[in-house]
Amino acid sequence: MENLSDNYYVEQSDVFELLALMFRLNNYEYMQSEKHRTKESFNQFIQDSFSLLSDETKKELDCFFHKDSFFGLTFVQLLYRHNKWHDIPAFLSFLEQLEFEEIISAFLSSGYSSPEKIEDYTDGQEVFSYIQSSALPFSEQAKLFYLYFDKGNTKQRFLKVVAEINEKIYQPFIKKINAYHEDSIHKLSGMNRKQLNKITNPHFDASDANEPNKIILIPSYFYHTSSLFSYSSESDIAIYLIGAELIEQTMDESREEDKVIDLAKALSDRTKIKIIKELNQQPRYGFELAKQLNLSSPTISHHISKLSDLGLVTAKRYENKIFYQANQELIEEALQSMSDMLIAKER
């Protein structure tokens, strides 16, 4: 793992990239909002890859990588903790041996989970109550409860679909994907602290003291212009899966018009507006925000990620929880930038 600056590190991960591919495959149409910035070759690769899958495999992808729950992406911190995030065969072997309680514990952490902890994962009533009080949509609550009670099949189903996507799609292109990783790592290695902060500090406020003890950047071809943020309060480690195109955009200071367009899109989305208005009242913990706005936890997670990437929302740690707040100064600047771009000035 290469140290970039102070508490910033960068590393390549085929395991995390494989999980990112599975999420992208299942949510390709949903993620089309990126299309105005997405390369046609990337779109074609995803479409062609998806067409190779059987209907059964597509259903399994939708089970574990649905946009409202993304259970398959909840393993990030667990895999890091056990050092099983580099080698795919080692990852699959680890999953095979993993106790089901750890799998369901990861699934239950989807999005912004309840701050309450489950004492006994063998107690069906306790697990049921926890799931029922979560901010997941009802359909995903029902799915999670079924996965919990179908222990014998759940792990094997997940292993099977991961192994199939790895064999059919990931492995045939692994050299090309790794080349993208190496190029992205090279670009990150050449960034100064200000540029690194552009990638990560939208998720935290500008104070270095507020940053996690360790920040690990993982380049991802399949996250493209998006990012995934995973934080563990126990270890105080933040892991970012950063889209390769997002890294490219961070280096390109000339894309001012694209930035203004992204800000305009964010500020024209009804859900994002609701989130900003709520956070203008007071900082909110993710789970609390989901409950307050009557939205699913993963939905909040998705919108917060986009708002954070743009700097419209920042985060502060307080008593091992991450609270989000609106960045009022940047919102004012964004509105002024839109005005400057659209309204011709008198000369």
Side-chain angles (χ1 to χ4, degrees), residues 17-18 21-22 24-26 45-54 57-58 61 88 161-177 221-222:
E17 186 70 292
L18 173 59
L21 165 61
M22 296 176 76
R24 171 69 69 167
L25 284 171
N26 189 60
F45 175 80
I46 297 299
Q47 287 179 315
D48 291 345
S49 298
F50 192 71
S51 68
L52 296 174
L53 306 178
S54 66
T57 299
K58 291 174 183 177
L61 274 178
I88 292 176
V161 71
V162 172
E164 181 178 347
I165 299 299
N166 177 50
E167 180 181 351
K168 283 187 177 180
I169 302 175
Y170 195 81
Q171 289 303 320
F173 293 93
I174 191 169
K175 289 185 179 179
K176 183 177 180 179
I177 294 168
Y221 174 69
F222 294 111

Side-chain angles (χ1 to χ4, degrees), residues 39 41 175-185 219 221 244:
K39 295 179 180 177
S41 58
K175 289 185 179 179
K176 183 177 180 179
I177 294 168
N178 286 169
Y180 278 108
H181 291 166
E182 291 171 8
D183 180 61
S184 294
I185 288 174
Y221 174 69

Side-chain angles (χ1 to χ4, degrees), residues 260 334-347:
V260 173
L335 293 172
Q336 185 60 54
S337 295
M338 281 185 267
S339 174
D340 292 343
M341 187 177 77
L342 296 172
I343 301 175
K345 302 293 183 183
E346 293 184 3
R347 297 184 181 275

